[in-house]
Amino acid sequence: SIYFDLRSFRDLQAISRVLILFLFLFNQKPMQGSKNQSNVIFPTPLDSEEKEMLHRIVRVDHAGEYGANRIYAGQMAVLGRSKSGPLIQEMWDQEKKHLQKFNEILSENRVRPTALLPLWNIAGFALGASTALLGKEGAMACTVAVEESISEHYNSQIRALMEKDPERYTELLQVIKEFRDDEMEHHDTGLEHDAEMVPGYWLMKNVIQLGCKAAIYVSQRI
Amino acid sequence: MAALLRGLRAGRTLRGLSSVVAAPSAVNPQCSSLNRGFHRAALRLQDESKSDKPPSSSSSSSSSSTTYHEHYQATEHDTAAEASQHDSASDPAAEQPERPNTSYQDQSGEHGEEYETEEQLQSRILTAALEFVPLHGWSMEAIAAGAETLGLSSASTGMFYNGAGDLVLHFIAHCNSQLTEILAEQHKQVQLGQAEPKKTADFLREAVETRLRMYIPYIETWPQAMSILLLPHNIPDSLKHLSSMVDDIWYYAGDRSTDMNWYTKRAVLTGIYNTTELVMLQDSSPDFQDTWSFLDNRIQDVVNMASSAKQVQSTGEAVVQGFMGAAVTLKNLTGLNQRR
């Protein structure tokens, strides 16, 4: 290339500085969490297998709450000033609380967040906004589909932890159960507010749920 | 007493036998497993001669010996036959002539959890081998010399499949755990209010400097160690150690980020650490002053870049606001904003 000589150290230094600058620019401001120190939500893992399992659980749940946040943000961007604005805002506030809780759990237990967070950022917002463009029914249908996926996912985690050792994971189980109940409530709210009236409800629901399953699979590992 | 002497004599001949067998063919994998077998038998014999319980596989009734037996059953069915032939003394041994470092014998003569696992033994050998690294480099000779210091035959190097890689990785793990201890101690001091929390840049600089200073005694041979770490089969392990060290440093520096910052910060610190390590290898200034000033400059770079990024972002936002204002003004001027 005529602009950079990759054999020269100074040019490499310049390139790396530019790259790091871009990396810093595309970071979001970290959310303000509480300074709660004693958030050891699960016991010190006995071996690397248990550690892997617990870290995957926290990582995927964190990614899920983050994505749900962005979906509601997208919905609010379109429908924020409509009649259903306050309802969506209320559900969004609950998700914000969930995300804050998982932020604390993630950082205090030294769990690595999923590297796909920027992807879920954009995808979540796009999903929320595009379904909200179909009107209030569309937004509610999206909520129903996503919350159903999340509840199912939380239930399978609860089952897995209960099978292993309910006493050992008491606090973690408590948190997951509480969040699962909240998500089921959102699901029911969505149904109450005419989610099924949207044209193509069955198709939309299944497509969104398939996407959620894929997102869960990938976020556990990457 | 006679049984004890019988046992010790058998142990000595066994080890002599194993070193004779081992000497010409240390590289042969079959022989190395044989060495392993002999070594373990020698080990077991040593400990049998100290124990007051017959080391047969079925007889342990008390729970304190089960760990010993479980461990051995899991790994040594092949040597059970050999060892049972040398089933010897059951009275507690008062003197430990061959293994002065490993007298786990307490008053009652029980083994209990004090029995050493293979990993602990390996780690002891490798730690002992470190003092021979300046002489022999990071190699099997150093490990053999270390084993001899502990009173084991140099055939015990057969235990280490990865050879020099094992030694380097052990050293790195040891340095990392030392660093974690130091950082945890400092963290505790700050929590207790006995020390001031440091600024992030200073904290990072001191942590990296502390960690790199651990290489100073081995700095002559460190290039060899780095090339061993770059061998394909060692790369996953060395990356794991590097990433856990960087994660530790950031955690104690106070990083609690849960988004892409997590990755960015660790990537940046990894870059700083690796380049500083490379500079250190070629540094000949007194007490590596050049290295520490290089480290200083790199950390300053990162700090400057973070603040430039913030400035660029806020400038960008201001510019966007300006454009929006200009657009609204234009719309007003051209009358597009009015409702007719």
Side-chain angles (χ1 to χ4, degrees), chain A residues 110-175:
Chain A
R110 316 276 301 269
V111 180
R112 170 180 68 86
T114 169
L116 300 168
L117 281 178
L119 178 61
W120 305 142
N121 182 6
I122 300 176
F125 194 88
L127 177 65
S130 57
T131 49
L133 284 173
L134 297 173
K136 167 188 153 216
E137 292 79 17
M140 292 298 139
C142 171
T143 303
V144 165
V146 170
E147 300 293 7
E148 194 176 306
S149 289
I150 291 190
S151 308
E152 212 179 288
H153 164 69
Y154 278 152
N155 275 334
S156 69
Q157 283 185 344
I158 291 172
R159 267 193 294 270
L161 289 174
M162 296 284 261
E163 257 169 34
K164 283 215 159 28
D165 191 344
E167 275 121 42
R168 195 168 153 75
Y169 305 121
T170 314
E171 290 118 2
L172 183 59
L173 274 171
Q174 207 175 343
V175 169

Side-chain angles (χ1 to χ4, degrees), chain B residues 31-105:
Chain B
C31 259
S32 69
S33 63
L34 191 63
N35 296 340
R36 213 167 23 111
F38 276 131
H39 169 66
R40 285 190 185 152
L43 210 77
R44 193 181 206 184
L45 198 59
Q46 286 262 291
D47 296 300
E48 282 166 20
S49 68
K50 292 180 270 177
S51 93
D52 65 342
K53 289 182 166 50
S56 63
S57 45
S58 54
S59 67
S60 66
S61 46
S62 92
S63 56
S64 58
S65 302
T66 47
T67 48
Y68 161 106
H69 286 293
E70 277 166 2
H71 170 73
Y72 265 77
Q73 279 165 32
T75 56
E76 282 193 294
H77 281 294
D78 56 331
T79 58
E82 287 176 67
S84 56
Q85 289 168 16
H86 303 281
D87 195 350
S88 61
S90 52
D91 44 303
E95 69 274 24
Q96 316 294 328
E98 272 90 24
R99 296 264 296 274
N101 298 336
T102 63
S103 47
Y104 301 115
Q105 193 67 47

Side-chain angles (χ1 to χ4, degrees), chain B residues 145-186:
Chain B
E148 269 161 16
T149 330
L150 294 178
L152 302 166
S153 95
S154 55
S156 51
T157 56
M159 261 203 292
F160 300 103
Y161 303 116
N162 202 2
D166 272 337
L167 184 56
V168 180
L169 290 170
H170 168 83
F171 176 60
I172 293 212
H174 176 67
C175 289
N176 285 351
S177 58
Q178 262 187 314
L179 179 70
T180 308
E181 259 172 49
I182 294 175
L183 293 179
E185 185 55 42
Q186 282 178 4

Side-chain angles (χ1 to χ4, degrees), chain B residues 68-300:
Chain B
Y68 161 106
H69 286 293
E70 277 166 2
H71 170 73
Y72 265 77
Q73 279 165 32
T75 56
E76 282 193 294
H77 281 294
D78 56 331
T79 58
E82 287 176 67
S84 56
Q85 289 168 16
H86 303 281
D87 195 350
S88 61
S90 52
D91 44 303
E95 69 274 24
Q96 316 294 328
E98 272 90 24
R99 296 264 296 274
N101 298 336
T102 63
S103 47
Y104 301 115
Q105 193 67 47
D106 65 11
Q107 290 300 330
S108 63
E110 305 232 343
H111 274 295
E113 307 79 25
E114 298 161 337
Y115 197 81
E116 184 181 55
T117 63
E118 187 183 336
E119 285 92 39
Q120 285 171 333
L121 175 67
Q122 283 189 346
S123 126
R124 267 197 320 126
I125 295 181
L126 292 175
T127 310
L130 285 177
E131 70 181 83
F132 295 96
V133 163
L135 182 58
H136 295 300
W138 301 88
S139 62
M140 290 301 265
E141 281 90 32
I143 302 181
E148 269 161 16
T149 330
L150 294 178
L152 302 166
S153 95
S154 55
S156 51
T157 56
M159 261 203 292
F160 300 103
Y161 303 116
N162 202 2
D166 272 337
L167 184 56
V168 180
L169 290 170
H170 168 83
F171 176 60
I172 293 212
H174 176 67
C175 289
N176 285 351
S177 58
Q178 262 187 314
L179 179 70
T180 308
E181 259 172 49
I182 294 175
L183 293 179
E185 185 55 42
Q186 282 178 4
H187 185 71
K188 206 162 58 136
Q189 292 289 321
V190 171
Q191 301 280 62
L192 293 174
Q194 288 167 7
E196 286 294 312
K198 296 185 216 168
K199 282 185 13 213
T200 310
D202 292 332
F203 184 93
L204 294 180
R205 201 193 50 238
E206 283 177 23
V208 174
E209 186 179 329
T210 311
R211 177 65 174 76
L212 284 175
R213 276 189 183 276
M214 297 180 195
Y215 290 162
I216 291 182
Y218 306 97
I219 198 73
E220 303 290 321
T221 49
W222 196 247
Q224 185 197 7
M226 284 183 81
S227 61
I228 291 174
L229 285 178
L230 283 173
L231 291 173
H233 53 268
N234 285 329
I235 288 185
D237 283 324
S238 71
L239 282 181
K240 206 160 41 106
H241 282 126
L242 180 61
S243 59
S244 72
M245 175 194 75
V246 169
D247 185 38
D248 272 341
I249 295 181
W250 268 119
Y251 177 76
Y252 286 111
D255 174 47
R256 297 286 181 276
S257 52
T258 54
D259 54 6
M260 275 323 261
N261 276 322
W262 193 94
Y263 287 92
T264 315
K265 286 179 167 169
R266 280 150 184 78
V268 165
L269 185 59
T270 308
I272 293 176
Y273 177 84
N274 282 337
T275 47
T276 312
E277 192 181 0
L278 286 173
V279 166
M280 191 172 165
L281 289 181
Q282 299 166 6
D283 189 9
S284 52
S285 60
D287 195 35
F288 298 91
Q289 279 309 316
D290 287 348
T291 308
W292 312 134
S293 33
F294 177 86
L295 176 61
D296 252 338
N297 291 338
R298 294 290 75 73
I299 293 192
Q300 268 313 110

